[in-house]
Amino acid sequence: MKSVANLDVITAIQHLQKAIHAGGADPLVLELVHLRASQINGCSPCVFAGVQSAKKHGETEERLHNVVTWRETPFFTEEERAALALAEAATRIQDGAPGVTDEIWDAAATHFDENQMAAIILEIAITNFFNRINHTIREPAGKTW
């Protein structure tokens, strides 16, 4: 397995994480966004870590098992659904996918202020960043970083 860690990279990531958590978005919403993007990208270490982290923030097994089917279940609030839709649209940008439509953006903006939106968008971006790194270096699920 390859390693990409160095002090400059770790420091930059810590600054991004600090900015995300300073944005005022509910930590559980950020966990759901992270988990959904990681599921879409098939990133097993991020799915594993996301489930563990969400549990530490009080997330239930029932909801964690249904993030992948959030549209078909009654377990998520309208705010969470808006964040999950945004995460999916921002993550699925390949192969001509429409990305974040005005409808998706407006739904999220209804529930989150500017700082919270910035935090959620940055969480989606950094999750996709980690998903791609983990895929590239073949990081296994369950490893403690």
Side-chain angles (χ1 to χ4, degrees), residues 25-144:
D26 181 342
L28 280 177
V29 168
L30 296 174
E31 295 292 349
L32 293 172
V33 162
H34 170 81
L35 181 55
R36 187 63 192 119
S38 296
Q39 288 172 334
I40 291 166
N41 289 325
C43 182
S44 64
C46 284
V47 168
F48 180 87
V51 167
Q52 298 303 321
S53 183
K55 285 180 180 180
K56 287 178 185 175
H57 282 94
E59 191 53 86
T60 67
E61 291 284 336
E62 181 177 61
R63 285 169 38 102
L64 287 171
H65 286 292
N66 285 284
V67 169
V68 71
T69 59
W70 63 269
R71 284 183 177 86
E72 290 81 31
T73 64
F75 307 126
F76 302 97
T77 67
E78 289 304 312
E79 177 180 81
E80 292 165 337
R81 291 174 184 281
L84 288 165
L86 182 63
E88 285 188 359
T91 299
R92 290 188 166 144
I93 58 173
Q94 77 291 349
D95 302 327
V100 179
T101 63
D102 289 343
E103 179 182 37
I104 291 169
W105 181 269
D106 292 345
T110 299
H111 297 284
F112 303 104
D113 67 27
E114 190 173 308
N115 289 333
Q116 293 168 326
M117 284 286 282
I120 292 167
I121 292 165
L122 190 52
E123 179 66 32
I124 295 164
I126 200 167
T127 297
N128 279 279
F129 169 79
F130 280 121
N131 293 165
R132 281 149 180 81
I133 289 174
N134 287 331
H135 180 76
T136 301
I137 64 172
R138 298 181 185 165
E139 186 72 19
K143 183 177 176 183
T144 303

